[in-house]
Amino acid sequence: MHDLPAETTPFDLRYLTQEDYGTLLTKRDRHPVAAIVHGDFDPPPGDWPLLHSRLPPLDGAPKIELLSAGTPLGRTQELGFDIVTTDGLLFGGGRFEESPDEPIRQISDRAYDSLFRIVSDRGFPHILRIWNVVENINADRDGLERYRHFCIGRQDAFDRLRPDLIDKYPAASALGSTQGGLCVYFVAAREPGQPIENPRQVSAFRYPPQYGPRSPSFSRALLKRWGDHARLFISGTASITGHETRHVGDLAAQVEQTIDNLEVLGGEASRALGRTVPLNAPGSYLKVYVRTPGDYDAVRAILEQRLGDAVNAIYLRADICREELLVEIEALLSA
Ligand code: 3EB
């Protein structure tokens, strides 16, 4: 076992342009743990995992999410994941291709099985946040939506390996790409975070069976403290109250409802923490997923009207895991 120092350096995120990322590669003045590339940009491999989300930015300019947390201690490839550990954090990312022998449900089960083994073996059992990108997430397979197959595989793996997390799941997002199989990336810690739910929404893990045979395994948000710092990982959030989709066919109302839900989660976390967790401060990072490219301008106008035009947001084209949802927003907030 490693003799690791205390978990103190908070997880950080920055959004970079292609040019900023090139400068960073030559200067090496930071300690990235991973880069997530959105759009048409192929940087040379670096010392950290590099993943393409396959979700194109709606303004056409590639965006790079640079994740960091302390000094990287080691990097390995294992069970299909590219893994970095630091003093207080483990990042893993992988892409899993489906095959006739291993369709979406089975590949999701295997990806999660591997994820759980990795975090346990390395002493980072507290998974904070998981991102999932599923090829053709709304398409049908054998009479069931592929998203619902994904939920079955994911929940089966949770049941087998992490029954301790039933009702205190990590935060998550699940979006749809037009290609690329299943992409999963995540961050995990040595000490637990605190799940936060939205009192106006039924917890996703308690959705009734009309949304699929197995409920989605995620918490609405997860609050993690690092010393005096805190981060709020807000899961993909949409126009849902109770368990029902609201404002079907009304883009503007869906965006407003989604922001209302984000504000409720920020408020719940602020209460839990005892200080404000702001949605629109320099340390707030939003990711806005839009189903129809033509909706981009309208979505952005409403977001900037509600949160100010300095809001740190990137806009990506993605399918969302209920057909009627036109938009979904996730966030990483600092307090
Ligand atoms: C919802 O609230 C919208 O299956 O991991 C949002 C975030 C959604 C994560 C997931 C699904 C997931 O139910 C969908």
Side-chain angles (χ1 to χ4, degrees), residues 132 147 150-151 154 172-174 201 204 207 216 218 220 235-238 240 321-322 325 328:
N132 306 279
Y147 171 60
F150 161 79
C151 285
R154 171 172 62 175
S173 300
Q201 293 184 309
Y207 280 168
F218 68 97
R220 296 295 179 188
S235 294
T237 300
I240 294 171
C321 54
R322 287 185 187 186
L325 289 172
E328 181 171 307

Side-chain angles (χ1 to χ4, degrees), residues 235-263:
S235 294
T237 300
S239 180
I240 294 171
T241 63
H243 56 73
E244 284 171 281
T245 306
R246 301 294 171 189
H247 315 297
V248 174
D250 184 343
L251 176 75
Q254 286 202 14
V255 178
E256 299 277 3
Q257 179 67 68
T258 301
I259 299 169
D260 290 347
N261 281 331
L262 294 171
E263 286 178 342

Side-chain angles (χ1 to χ4, degrees), residues 40-62:
D40 201 3
F41 173 47
D42 268 306
D47 295 336
W48 49 85
L50 189 89
L51 279 156
H52 285 86
S53 70
R54 312 271 181 127
L55 304 177
L58 285 161
D59 68 2

Side-chain angles (χ1 to χ4, degrees), residues 151-193:
C151 285
I152 296 170
R154 171 172 62 175
Q155 184 62 52
D156 285 349
F158 268 103
D159 285 349
R160 266 196 328 275
L161 285 160
R162 295 305 297 268
D164 60 305
L165 295 182
I166 302 309
D167 80 12
K168 26 182 196 298
Y169 292 101
S173 300
L175 284 308
S177 58
T178 56
Q179 47 167 287
L182 171 68
C183 175
V184 176
Y185 60 98
F186 65 95
V187 292
R190 288 188 286 112
E191 290 158 23

Side-chain angles (χ1 to χ4, degrees), residues 17-27 41:
T17 63
Q18 194 172 328
E19 292 71 32
D20 291 341
Y21 189 75
T23 309
L24 176 112
L25 281 177
T26 49
K27 279 176 45 200
F41 173 47

Side-chain angles (χ1 to χ4, degrees), residues 29-50:
D29 59 345
R30 300 267 177 158
H31 298 294
V33 298
I36 315 300
V37 180
H38 309 289
D40 201 3
F41 173 47
D42 268 306
D47 295 336
W48 49 85
L50 189 89

